[in-house]
Amino acid sequence: MNEFDLIDKYFTRPPEKALLGVGDDCALLESNKGMHQCITSDMLVEGRHFLSTVDPYRLGVKSLAVNLSDLAACGATPSAFTLSLSLPQVDPHWLELFSSGIWDTALLFGMDLVGGDTTRGPLCISITAIGEVPPGDVLLRSGALEGDDIYISGTLGDAALALAVFRGFVSVDAQSFERIRTRLEQPTPRVGLGVALRGVANACIDISDGLIGDLNHILERSGVGATLGTEWINNSEAISIDMQQQSFNKRLDYVLSGGDDYELLFTASRDAREEVRFASEQSRTPVTLIGQITREKGLKVFDLRRELMQRRFTSFDHFQTHSTYD
Ligand SMILES: [Mg+2]
């Protein structure tokens, strides 16, 4: 199978929204009048972002989901994406499953695959996703204001716990493992919530590298500080699952600084609590109030007794850590 056959067989379908999809030198998108385009890219490298044993279908889902999560963080409606794929060999079984994961996710979120590239090389998936947002409604990291409430969607830490199980650091029962590995391998991008938060949230980011690290991005960009409580952490499987040989502190690390959750972290005025509740209902996405934005810079985390925690939390950094998926 040559490159063009491969693209034809696995990665070409007539576009739903794009004027021109795969097959020419460029794709053609029609932009809705007056809308702003949001563009984001994410690259997934074997051993760095995923385990070599991962199910190819799930890998297809995740590759697109992590990009959708970035669009969600900006409040954008997804429209199209390009896919660049480096493959060690042409394996029809793998390609069938991987492309199904891509197509199913694209269909679910109304996206056209409009271009990309394929080459032989180490397994690497690079996607650029495009979405639209009305001018003035884009959610950014820089909008947090003193006194804002801080919220997260869903629960945190489950993906990091699943990775720890895969790596043999900890074991959990089979049923729990199925649930948490799905969080790791097929994250749910919060696109509906992002759209519902237009005009409601003041700042937003998706949590890919851990709550503390990603919250710090909001704080830095917005020039503010924050206080976080921890009474909400019991929602997470990472805290509630029965696990042997895991200290509470280690569990807390999964929740506060574990990566790969792809939940939204956002701030909104105290006066907007009703609107936040409505956005959550409308998008059928649970959200939890976890803290407040403060004028004073820095991040303070309080434990269950409302005492200031003194420990340092890390966040995932691709250039400062060894591969997490080895
Ligand atoms: Mg992001």
Side-chain angles (χ1 to χ4, degrees):
M1 194 183 305
N2 71 27
E3 184 184 352
F4 304 108
D5 295 338
L6 188 155
I7 293 170
D8 228 30
K9 185 164 165 50
Y10 298 105
F11 299 110
T12 309
R13 286 187 189 177
E16 298 276 328
K17 300 188 216 165
L19 296 173
L20 187 64
V22 173
D24 221 297
D25 294 296
C26 288
L28 270 181
L29 303 183
E30 190 163 36
S31 30
N32 285 315
K33 199 170 169 358
M35 296 286 269
H36 285 177
Q37 307 283 312
C38 289
I39 297 163
T40 178
S41 282
D42 255 302
M43 187 155 62
L44 277 80
V45 178
E46 180 174 7
R48 169 64 60 178
H49 301 94
F50 58 91
L51 298 160
S52 53
T53 52
V54 71
D55 174 272
Y57 178 88
R58 291 180 170 213
L59 183 59
V61 172
K62 182 165 183 170
S63 304
L64 192 50
V66 299
N67 283 277
L68 281 158
S69 180
D70 280 325
L71 291 181
C74 291
T77 305
S79 49
F81 67 104
T82 64
L83 167 68
S84 296
L85 200 54
S86 156
L87 296 168
Q89 73 269 322
V90 175
D91 173 349
H93 176 69
W94 189 95
L95 279 161
E96 191 62 51
L97 290 170
F98 175 79
S99 60
S100 299
I102 291 272
W103 288 120
D104 286 355
T105 310
L107 194 67
L108 200 61
F109 292 95
M111 297 186 100
D112 286 327
L113 171 54
V114 294
D117 198 9
T118 53
T119 178
R120 188 185 295 273
L123 183 56
C124 172
I125 303 140
S126 176
I127 287 181
T128 296
I130 303 163
E132 285 190 335
V133 66
D137 275 354
V138 67
L139 306 176
L140 300 173
R141 301 174 178 187
S142 54
L145 299 170
E146 179 191 355
D148 273 4
D149 291 327
I150 304 171
Y151 298 87
I152 51 161
S153 63
T155 61
L156 303 182
D158 303 338
L161 173 60
L163 187 58
V165 175
F166 272 121
R167 300 183 76 190
F169 294 160
V170 55
S171 57
V172 300
D173 68 279
Q175 235 182 358
S176 306
F177 182 54
E178 264 319 301
R179 280 200 306 273
I180 59 174
R181 78 176 289 184
T182 304
R183 295 292 313 273
L184 175 69
E185 295 179 342
Q186 290 178 270
T188 306
R190 301 300 195 178
V191 172
L193 178 64
V195 169
L197 286 172
R198 289 176 185 168
V200 177
N202 286 337
C204 191
I205 189 171
D206 69 317
I207 305 176
S208 52
D209 299 335
L211 170 64
I212 299 286
D214 287 322
L215 176 56
N216 270 320
H217 291 309
I218 286 188
L219 301 184
E220 278 165 25
R221 289 294 178 90
S222 302
V224 290
T227 57
L228 282 190
T230 43
E231 56 289 339
W232 49 273
I233 59 173
N234 290 321
N235 295 345
S236 298
E237 305 248 17
I239 299 290
S240 58
I241 284 183
D242 198 22
M243 279 182 280
Q244 301 211 314
Q245 299 156 334
Q246 277 291 280
S247 67
F248 180 76
N249 272 348
K250 188 62 217 167
R251 289 172 177 234
L252 199 58
D253 271 342
Y254 296 140
V255 179
L256 297 183
S257 44
D260 271 340
D261 290 308
Y262 300 100
E263 294 293 348
L264 293 187
L265 167 66
F266 61 97
T267 82
S269 153
R270 222 189 134 78
D271 298 335
R273 283 190 179 177
E274 193 51 34
E275 281 131 292
V276 170
R277 201 181 56 79
F278 184 69
S280 159
E281 264 177 30
Q282 206 181 21
S283 60
R284 297 201 191 87
T285 311
V287 306
T288 309
L289 178 61
I290 63 165
Q292 263 79 38
I293 295 292
T294 58
R295 180 202 300 254
E296 189 192 345
K297 300 265 177 75
L299 174 60
K300 294 193 172 80
V301 185
F302 291 92
D303 68 15
L304 293 172
R305 291 163 302 174
R306 295 299 296 170
E307 279 169 27
L308 185 62
M309 293 174 66
Q310 300 296 346
R311 44 190 300 232
R312 279 180 60 82
F313 293 96
T314 53
S315 77
F316 189 75
D317 180 324
H318 292 287
F319 291 103
Q320 290 185 2
T321 6
H322 293 294
S323 175
T324 42
Y325 288 83
D326 279 345

